[in-house]
Amino acid sequence: MKRFWLHSLLKVYATTMFILVGFVALLISYASWQTKVQEASSISQRVVSRTVDEVEYYHQRSRQLIQDLFGNSAKLEGVYKYFSLSPSAYASWKLQNALNDVIKVSLHDNINDIYFENSYITGIDIALQDYKMVFTSSRSHRGGVQILASSYKPSENAIPIPIYDTANQMIGTAYMTIDSTVFNQIIDNVRNDLPLLVKITSPYNQVIFQTGEGLAGKWIKRYSAHDYVVEVALPKDYLREETVRSTIFILGVSLILTASLYVILQRVFRNYQRQVVDVVDTIQAIGQGASHLRIDTATKEQELLLISDNTNTMLDNLDRNIHDIYQLQLNQKDANMRALQAQINPHFMYNTLEFIRMYAVMKSQDELADIIYEFSSLLRNNISDETQVTLESELEFCRKYSYLCMVRHPNSVAYGFTIAEELKKMVIPKFTIQPLVENYFAHGVDYRRKDNVISVKVLKMSGASRILIQDNGRGIKAEKLAEICHILSNRQLEASENKEKRTSIGIINIHERFLLFFGDRYSIAVDSEENKGVRYIIEIKDE
């Protein structure tokens, strides 16, 4: 048995599922990467903003503390005395100072107060211009010491603050060392576990704070109001590594999910596959000549059971019909023979009519010859096999029919047919105008009158072609007209049993043939009053 597509259905499904799930996983990974990039950018911006604000705050706070330390002449004098006197002389001066009970003039006392009130300060250094010594202190050694200016180096995280005297003259620089944990806390509160690299640079290009490890990617830089530079960046490979880890995790979960679904579906499809294979094998055997075989329905379920039952029924019907078909073929041969014999009769009739017409011409009976010719042409058209004709041919047939009717009742009926030149070759279904003309002669003509008339006009309108059929006969009663209009408003084909119940079979057939031929392009309307004639308006829109 050849290999069926069902045998590889699960493989095709699994492959498609792997591809789709993998594609979705990659989309999710890409979306995750985009989210991480946006989140990292947003957090970096917030860290920069908060850090700049804090740096600016500590700078302003440090300036305020230094201004308070040198804010009046008494304190300023105490600083100068500290740098110019020996320790014993400085101590003696503090004791003898008259302002000592009003204001603290001791540099040590003021420095100690700064440490006490500001826990984030870990060091205060003072370097005055034109002095060879520099005062340095720390939180653990608040009294401080003096060291040579030539050997002094400010702490890396110290904020330089210019010192001004009461005359607003710069007299030196103070270095306020800020505890780095202050900035670490700010960054930790904002960065949301991102391994950010943060760097703070003073206006003198001195890095006063730096945290984070690794090669930095793109730095985000921002300046404070006093020209401190805060820079934040992510490690160069962080986002890529995070994305790779996330992608591997998503693809792994997708792989496990897809494999689980494949195993479940394989078990579900196994029974279904056996049933399908049995159906296909049996049908193949039947196709190769074992027409007595039937599909075993005892092992089939649901839709396969339905298919098997119907197939067996079809095969049984096929066997029963083989004999009938053979018999029909024999009957068809007899019918063909009878049809061949029937063709002789029309030819004999046409030849006879032509002989009579020629005899009338020989006897100078021209009008009789014309009548016979028109009648012969009418018969030929009736039995021809064509189903479509041009408008010109259909109107010519109607003219011949009207002529023969007029001959029967001379001086009682008149007719007129006109057609636009560009519409003569337009193709329509055969016998779609003639029945409407025939209805007039069969039901509408009042032969007691002398002014009976019917006209057919084919006009070219804007975007459509119009066929106007109008007479002045008996017309149609109101209830009958309503029934006809209802029939013509229906755009669906009626069942044959419904047609047989109606009295207007001719108009139904015309309507349906136009619908089948032209579709939505076709429309028809009927207007009539009793004793005032009937008017049919048929419009066919241009393609």
Side-chain angles (χ1 to χ4, degrees), residues 122-125 136 152-160 175-178 206-209:
T122 60
I124 302 175
D125 302 337
T136 63
Y152 171 72
K153 183 178 181 181
S155 174
E156 290 184 355
N157 53 344
I159 297 178
Y175 296 92
M176 303 288 283
T177 304
I178 305 299
Q206 176 68 34
V207 177
I208 62 176
F209 175 82

Coordinates of all heavy atoms in Angstrom, one line a residue, residues 122-125 136 152-160 175-178 206-209:
T122 N 32.2 62.5 56.3 CA 33.3 61.7 56.9 C 34.6 62.4 57.0 O 35.5 61.8 57.6 CB 33.5 60.4 56.0 OG1 33.8 60.8 54.7 CG2 32.2 59.6 56.0
G123 N 34.7 63.6 56.4 CA 36.0 64.3 56.5 C 35.8 65.7 56.1 O 35.0 66.1 55.2
I124 N 36.6 66.6 56.8 CA 36.6 68.1 56.5 C 38.1 68.5 56.4 O 38.8 68.3 57.4 CB 35.8 68.9 57.5 CG1 34.4 68.4 57.6 CG2 35.9 70.4 57.2 CD1 33.6 69.1 58.7
D125 N 38.5 69.1 55.3 CA 39.8 69.6 55.1 C 39.7 71.1 54.7 O 38.8 71.5 54.0 CB 40.6 68.8 54.0 CG 40.7 67.3 54.3 OD1 40.6 67.0 55.5 OD2 40.9 66.6 53.3
T136 N 43.4 68.9 58.2 CA 42.6 67.7 57.8 C 42.0 67.1 59.1 O 42.6 67.0 60.1 CB 43.6 66.7 57.1 OG1 44.5 66.2 58.0 CG2 44.2 67.3 55.9
Y152 N 49.7 67.4 50.8 CA 48.3 67.2 50.9 C 47.6 66.7 49.6 O 47.9 67.3 48.5 CB 47.6 68.4 51.4 CG 46.1 68.3 51.5 CD1 45.4 67.5 52.4 CD2 45.3 69.0 50.5 CE1 44.1 67.4 52.4 CE2 43.9 68.9 50.5 CZ 43.3 68.1 51.4 OH 41.9 68.0 51.4
K153 N 46.7 65.8 49.7 CA 46.0 65.3 48.5 C 44.5 65.1 49.0 O 44.3 64.3 49.9 CB 46.5 64.0 47.9 CG 45.8 63.6 46.7 CD 46.4 62.3 46.1 CE 45.7 61.9 44.9 NZ 46.3 60.6 44.3
P154 N 43.6 65.8 48.4 CA 42.2 65.7 48.9 C 41.7 64.2 48.6 O 42.2 63.5 47.8 CB 41.4 66.6 48.0 CG 42.4 67.6 47.5 CD 43.7 66.8 47.4
S155 N 40.7 63.8 49.4 CA 40.1 62.5 49.2 C 39.3 62.5 47.9 O 38.9 63.5 47.4 CB 39.1 62.2 50.4 OG 38.4 61.1 50.1
E156 N 39.3 61.3 47.3 CA 38.6 61.2 46.0 C 37.2 61.6 46.0 O 36.7 62.1 45.0 CB 38.8 59.7 45.5 CG 40.2 59.3 45.1 CD 40.2 57.9 44.5 OE1 39.2 57.3 44.5 OE2 41.3 57.5 44.1
N157 N 36.5 61.3 47.0 CA 35.0 61.7 47.1 C 34.8 63.0 47.8 O 33.7 63.1 48.4 CB 34.2 60.5 47.7 CG 34.7 60.1 49.0 OD1 35.8 60.4 49.4 ND2 33.9 59.3 49.7
A158 N 35.8 63.8 47.9 CA 35.6 65.1 48.6 C 35.0 66.2 47.6 O 35.4 66.2 46.4 CB 36.9 65.6 49.1
I159 N 34.1 67.0 48.2 CA 33.5 68.1 47.4 C 34.3 69.4 47.7 O 34.3 69.8 48.8 CB 32.0 68.2 47.7 CG1 31.3 67.0 47.4 CG2 31.4 69.4 47.0 CD1 29.8 67.0 47.7
P160 N 34.9 70.0 46.7 CA 35.7 71.2 47.0 C 34.7 72.4 47.1 O 33.8 72.6 46.2 CB 36.6 71.3 45.7 CG 35.9 70.6 44.7 CD 35.1 69.5 45.3
Y175 N 37.4 71.1 51.7 CA 37.0 69.8 51.1 C 36.2 69.0 52.0 O 36.6 68.6 53.1 CB 38.3 69.0 50.7 CG 39.2 69.7 49.7 CD1 40.2 70.6 50.1 CD2 39.0 69.5 48.4 CE1 41.0 71.2 49.2 CE2 39.8 70.2 47.4 CZ 40.8 71.0 47.9 OH 41.6 71.7 46.9
M176 N 34.9 68.8 51.6 CA 33.9 68.1 52.4 C 33.8 66.7 51.8 O 33.4 66.5 50.7 CB 32.5 68.7 52.4 CG 32.5 70.2 52.8 SD 32.8 70.4 54.6 CE 31.1 69.9 55.2
T177 N 34.3 65.7 52.6 CA 34.2 64.3 52.1 C 32.9 63.7 52.5 O 32.5 63.7 53.7 CB 35.4 63.5 52.7 OG1 36.6 64.1 52.5 CG2 35.4 62.0 52.2
I178 N 32.2 63.2 51.4 CA 30.8 62.7 51.6 C 30.9 61.2 51.7 O 31.6 60.5 50.9 CB 29.9 63.1 50.5 CG1 29.9 64.6 50.3 CG2 28.5 62.5 50.7 CD1 29.3 65.3 51.5
Q206 N 37.7 65.8 38.9 CA 38.0 64.8 39.9 C 36.8 63.9 40.1 O 35.7 64.3 40.4 CB 38.4 65.5 41.2 CG 38.7 64.6 42.3 CD 40.0 63.8 42.1 OE1 41.0 64.3 41.5 NE2 40.0 62.5 42.5
V207 N 37.1 62.6 39.9 CA 36.0 61.6 40.1 C 35.8 61.5 41.6 O 36.7 61.0 42.3 CB 36.3 60.3 39.5 CG1 35.2 59.3 39.8 CG2 36.5 60.4 38.0
I208 N 34.6 61.9 42.1 CA 34.4 61.9 43.5 C 33.6 60.7 44.0 O 33.4 60.4 45.2 CB 33.7 63.2 44.0 CG1 32.3 63.3 43.3 CG2 34.5 64.4 43.7 CD1 31.5 64.5 43.8
F209 N 33.0 60.0 43.0 CA 32.2 58.7 43.3 C 32.2 57.9 42.1 O 32.0 58.4 41.0 CB 30.8 59.1 43.8 CG 30.0 57.9 44.0 CD1 30.1 57.2 45.2 CD2 29.1 57.4 43.1 CE1 29.3 56.0 45.5 CE2 28.3 56.3 43.3 CZ 28.4 55.6 44.5

